[in-house]
Amino acid sequence: MSQSWKPLPDDLSEPARRLAEELRAVKDAHGISLAELGKRTYLSKASWERWLNGKRLITSQALAGLIAAVDCDAVLLTSLLRQAEAARGATEPAAAPPVPGPAAGPAAEPAAAATVPVPVPVAVPIPVPLPVPVPVPVPAATAGVPGWRRPPALAAVAAVAVLLVLAGLYLHGLKADTSAAAASAAGPTAPAGARPVALPAQLCQGVGCAGRDPQAMGCETDDRTLVTGTIGRVVLYVHYSARCRAAWAGITDGSPGDTATITTSTGSQETALIHWGYDNYSMMVEAASADTVLRVCGHQPEGDGCTRAVTSLVASASATSTP
């Protein structure tokens, strides 16, 4: 499925133009939207829009994420990116040497990898209770005889019986663990004749979404941008999901090291940090109450600044649309 693309900028170098055209062809060949492309590569759809329309040259990390996510000609795309970078380096003036600064704090994190591993739950074996030893009955005729001992043969039979019981329980527990793991991997099943049970529309809501990724939780499906603000060229966003009853910060047109922090009236905070590229978003904060106040503040070389406060979630969400 192809789409009608905008003309590429006239000032693109020939390698950069070919690279943008090849990236468009990969997207069209797989018939995926910008949002789906962003989810597969763990990047925002805004970044992919700029790369596919020639507004920015795609980064090597983003290209590596694309190659890992979809079937494409990795050799051709990598070669075109190197040629485009070389052409850009030949036309740009030499950059001034960086000025040494203080040691990076906790916010200065290393460049993120092209793909972020998603933790997979591991089936935990169910502990199997050990059997209580069953005493071997003592014959009534000999129970009271001083110095009586159980015959060696009877003791051996009792020991073998206990070992057989232990082995059976162990194998039963192992089989149960294996079956549980297989059932978990295959997904939920229903007994024969039972009516299908509808799964919940969202994976989290309210306080259950706090500190979690809005894309991974599916909260981006009804995302509303309640308010925006700017610091120089950098744009800050307050995102809100009525279905998940949670909010998060967004930042675009920034540079590595720029941040955007969302704060609630209860003091909860989450920060979006641009590791590399031009944009990012934060984890979510709870916004279950209609009177929750939200604000996003950013810190960039151009200075610090904040969006206006969102004081009525219901009214703001109904008056906005998905960007």
Side-chain angles (χ1 to χ4, degrees):
M1 179 182 68
S2 62
Q3 70 175 63
S4 177
W5 292 101
K6 298 178 181 179
L8 292 171
D10 295 333
D11 58 351
L12 283 181
S13 65
E14 184 59 27
R17 180 177 298 276
R18 284 196 57 202
L19 177 59
E21 292 172 348
E22 289 295 333
L23 292 175
R24 290 178 172 185
V26 170
K27 177 184 176 300
D28 290 343
H30 289 82
I32 54 180
S33 64
L34 288 175
E36 178 63 22
L37 186 59
K39 289 181 180 180
R40 292 192 187 186
T41 57
Y42 299 94
L43 297 166
S44 71
K45 58 184 180 183
S47 292
W48 278 110
E49 186 275 331
R50 286 191 288 269
W51 293 328
L52 291 171
N53 286 317
K55 298 178 182 178
R56 303 265 192 173
L57 182 61
I58 189 171
T59 63
S60 57
Q61 297 94 333
L63 183 59
L66 176 68
I67 293 172
V70 300
D71 182 21
C72 57
D73 191 339
V75 176
L76 174 61
L77 294 177
T78 303
S79 175
L80 289 175
L81 176 58
R82 290 175 180 171
Q83 296 174 33
E85 289 175 340
R88 182 180 62 180
T91 58
E92 291 182 352
V99 178
E109 300 178 11
T115 56
V116 179
V118 178
V120 179
V122 180
V124 179
I126 303 173
V128 180
L130 295 177
V132 179
V134 180
V136 179
V138 180
T142 59
V145 178
W148 180 86
R149 299 289 185 271
R150 292 184 179 88
L154 183 59
V157 171
V160 171
V162 171
L163 290 175
L164 289 175
V165 172
L166 288 173
L169 288 174
Y170 172 78
L171 292 175
H172 176 73
L174 182 62
K175 181 179 179 181
D177 292 344
T178 305
S179 300
S184 176
T189 58
R195 299 180 63 182
V197 179
L199 294 177
Q202 67 280 333
L203 298 179
C204 70
Q205 191 174 69
V207 68
C209 292
R212 309 186 78 172
D213 189 316
Q215 281 193 2
M217 292 294 101
C219 299
E220 224 187 16
T221 56
D222 70 329
D223 169 25
R224 294 291 184 271
T225 300
L226 302 187
V227 68
T228 62
T230 59
I231 305 175
R233 71 181 189 285
V234 180
V235 185
L236 308 177
Y237 301 88
V238 178
H239 293 289
Y240 172 71
S241 167
R243 187 165 60 95
C244 293
R245 303 172 73 182
W248 60 96
I251 178 173
T252 60
D253 293 322
S255 302
D258 292 351
T259 64
T261 300
I262 186 170
T263 305
T264 71
S265 50
T266 61
S268 299
Q269 288 186 338
E270 290 292 345
T271 298
L273 167 67
I274 299 181
H275 301 277
W276 52 270
Y278 314 101
D279 54 10
N280 204 352
Y281 60 90
S282 72
M283 298 297 102
M284 292 184 284
V285 295
E286 177 189 2
S289 176
D291 59 357
T292 300
V293 179
L294 302 172
R295 184 191 299 271
V296 170
C297 295
H299 174 72
Q300 286 80 33
E302 291 85 352
D304 298 342
C306 301
T307 66
R308 65 176 176 83
V310 178
T311 56
S312 177
L313 293 180
V314 176
S316 299
S318 61
T320 58
S321 60
T322 305

